[in-house]
Amino acid sequence: MLAQKPPMGWNSWNSFTSKIDEKLILETVDAMIEKDYRDAGYEYVVIDDCWAEHARNEKGEMVPDKEKFPHGMKYIADYIHSKGMKFGMYSCAGACTCAGYPGSYGYEYIDAKTFASWDVDYLKYDFCSFPQSGDCKTAYLTMSSALRASGREILFSACNWGQEEPWKWMRSIGAHMYRSTGDIFDHFTSVREIIMLQSDKFYASAPGCHNDIDMMIAGMYGNGNVGFGEGNSKCSDVDYETHFALWCMFSAPLIIGGDVRNMNDFCHKLLTNPELIAINQDEECRNPYILSPMGETLVGSSITYIDKKTRVMIKVLSNNEFALGLFNLGDTEMGCGVFYEDIGIPISSGAKPVFKEILGSANVNYGDASLGISLKPHECKLIKYRIEI
Ligand code: GLA
């Protein structure tokens, strides 16, 4: 079964948009191996939009841009496979891609066959230029079916930006992951918005089909092509830490959007952190249970429920393990905490949690019945626990 766990890989769009070519892709593959991304679990190397010639050939097939990809796509696939990784490509449910290259509308079976003949393992399928008369769900079902008929096992990454509530039907049409949001941009407000909009929409995200909240921005620091928005400043290390921790807690696909050839040490360590990745890749793929807004306090004052921007959540993992995430998504320092009885461990039961801190430098105040923490703006703390009885 494909996508038993959230897919992991790299995608060219966030950092390179149309500035892609064979050299970049092969260098990226090499960097993913040399810098241990592959061994950390990132297996797909995905070429996004702008890889094709503007015209199809006489057989109606898409053709790789001859200057960018002089040896064609099978050559890239062979290289990627020879390194023990998998190859992803991009097309669109509409007549044209978002950057104006040929889309697959009406050509689904031809294109699926072409991708299979290039030994593609993963198809990201976008939603631009979709005809008004068309039916969105049918279009995704058609490509999903075409891929299944192509003779090759191809992961279907359906990117439709949350149109028509895909969490309600994408699993049913056979997608392995579905983009539920518009494009991320390289600023913390974008991360916050995505989480706030999606946190109650992960109920269909499970082995075989996962809610994709977009490629990650960790490590970009304002470079690349998804900007950080007018009036916004670059993300800090803390912003990226919280971003990655959230993607891990939500079992979201982990698709790196930064330039892995030039990632700084901080983000390299973060993105390859085995304990965080284990939380993301837990075989049960559960979405977190969110306790907010209980127990939210303003630093130094009594309990208040006004700022809903702290998030306390637990993710139930396999083997009597749990991940507790304390997040301050707000722009001011905030305190938050949790009573053990609210996460299913009443002290009267005699059971007690045994904690192990995984991420974040803020000090936790562990009490007999609760724990509390003060978090700086955008900061988080991740703690794993087991329950002893
Ligand atoms: C859309 C998608 C992006 C990217 C671009 C390519 O905006 O949401 O992730 O694939 O198209 O043009």
Side-chain angles (χ1 to χ4, degrees):
M1 178 198 191
L2 279 175
Q4 210 139 12
K5 296 177 180 180
M8 294 174 66
W10 173 89
N11 174 298
S12 59
W13 182 256
N14 283 2
S15 288
F16 301 102
T17 51
S18 64
K19 292 179 229 87
I20 49 171
D21 58 22
E22 182 178 292
K23 181 168 175 286
L24 168 75
I25 303 303
L26 301 191
E27 281 179 11
T28 297
V29 174
D30 293 344
M32 290 188 75
I33 294 160
E34 277 155 28
K35 300 181 184 194
D36 297 328
Y37 291 97
R38 178 193 62 182
D39 292 346
Y42 296 93
E43 61 175 337
Y44 291 99
V45 174
V46 183
I47 302 178
D48 206 283
D49 205 351
C50 309
W51 60 266
E53 290 285 340
H54 279 99
R56 290 176 177 268
N57 67 16
E58 64 290 348
K59 291 192 229 150
E61 295 159 343
M62 290 205 248
V63 181
D65 183 305
K66 294 189 181 65
E67 279 183 20
K68 292 177 180 170
F69 297 99
H71 299 95
M73 290 306 178
K74 176 77 168 69
Y75 176 83
I76 306 260
D78 288 348
Y79 188 81
I80 292 175
H81 291 147
S82 76
K83 305 285 178 183
M85 300 184 78
K86 292 184 174 163
F87 180 35
M89 289 206 66
Y90 165 99
S91 186
C92 183
C96 294
T97 71
C98 301
Y101 294 84
S104 293
Y105 190 76
Y107 290 88
E108 292 87 351
Y109 279 81
I110 294 180
D111 292 350
K113 238 168 115 181
T114 305
F115 290 130
S117 75
W118 293 340
D119 286 350
V120 166
D121 305 295
Y122 173 121
L123 180 70
K124 173 173 170 183
Y125 203 50
D126 216 339
F127 198 55
C128 277
S129 307
F130 193 71
Q132 275 187 340
S133 56
D135 181 82
C136 162
K137 296 177 191 171
T138 310
Y140 282 92
L141 174 61
T142 306
M143 185 48 104
S144 168
S145 308
L147 291 174
R148 282 162 193 262
S150 73
R152 194 172 166 84
E153 198 167 59
I154 301 180
L155 185 151
F156 187 35
S157 164
C159 170
N160 98 318
W161 322 316
Q163 302 288 303
E164 301 194 36
E165 306 186 301
W167 41 92
K168 294 189 177 160
W169 53 273
M170 277 295 196
R171 168 177 286 278
S172 306
I173 63 92
H176 299 101
M177 54 194 266
Y178 56 89
R179 261 279 292 287
S180 53
T181 66
D183 289 11
I184 196 169
F185 65 95
D186 188 13
H187 188 263
F188 192 77
T189 52
S190 178
V191 168
R192 175 162 65 205
E193 197 180 294
I194 287 172
I195 290 302
M196 288 191 155
L197 284 173
Q198 282 301 310
S199 52
D200 62 346
K201 300 190 183 70
F202 274 81
Y203 45 82
S205 196
C209 183
H210 306 268
N211 185 346
D212 168 14
I213 46 178
D214 211 352
M215 286 97 66
M216 297 185 286
I217 49 170
M220 295 185 67
Y221 297 97
N223 297 309
N225 294 291
V226 289
F228 40 87
E230 212 172 310
N232 285 323
S233 52
K234 286 184 202 176
C235 281
S236 64
D237 291 349
V238 164
D239 292 349
Y240 286 144
E241 202 166 75
T242 295
H243 158 46
F244 189 59
L246 285 163
W247 265 233
C248 290
M249 284 297 281
F250 279 90
S251 304
L254 297 180
I255 309 293
I256 298 173
D259 181 354
V260 286
R261 300 168 310 167
N262 298 308
M263 198 71 84
N264 73 1
D265 263 10
F266 181 86
C267 283
H268 172 243
K269 280 211 184 83
L270 177 68
L271 291 169
T272 55
N273 179 318
E275 292 186 292
L276 290 172
I277 291 175
I279 291 173
N280 175 272
Q281 294 284 296
D282 186 77
E283 62 187 6
E284 295 193 20
C285 297
R286 293 184 191 277
N287 52 314
Y289 172 66
I290 300 177
L291 286 96
S292 314
M294 66 74 56
E296 294 183 278
T297 64
L298 284 175
V299 174
S301 75
S302 56
I303 288 184
T304 168
Y305 297 95
I306 35 175
D307 188 326
K308 301 277 195 307
K309 287 186 179 148
T310 55
R311 287 287 178 280
V312 177
M313 56 186 83
I314 57 157
K315 177 168 172 172
V316 177
L317 305 167
S318 41
N319 302 323
N320 179 26
E321 288 198 313
F322 302 80
L324 168 65
L326 302 140
F327 293 90
N328 179 3
L329 304 181
D331 297 328
T332 54
E333 186 162 349
M334 294 285 295
C336 64
V338 62
F339 292 102
Y340 305 145
E341 66 177 62
D342 289 335
I343 52 170
I345 321 168
I347 33 168
S348 58
S349 65
K352 69 171 181 20
V354 179
F355 297 110
K356 181 183 177 204
E357 298 191 2
I358 303 287
L359 184 74
S361 53
N363 283 327
V364 184
N365 190 1
Y366 296 96
D368 288 341
S370 66
L371 62 78
I373 192 167
S374 174
L375 293 168
K376 299 204 173 68
H378 309 176
E379 200 180 13
C380 76
K381 187 89 189 180
L382 241 64
I383 304 166
K384 249 179 153 173
Y385 63 93
R386 312 176 58 77
I387 303 174
E388 283 191 354
I389 47 176

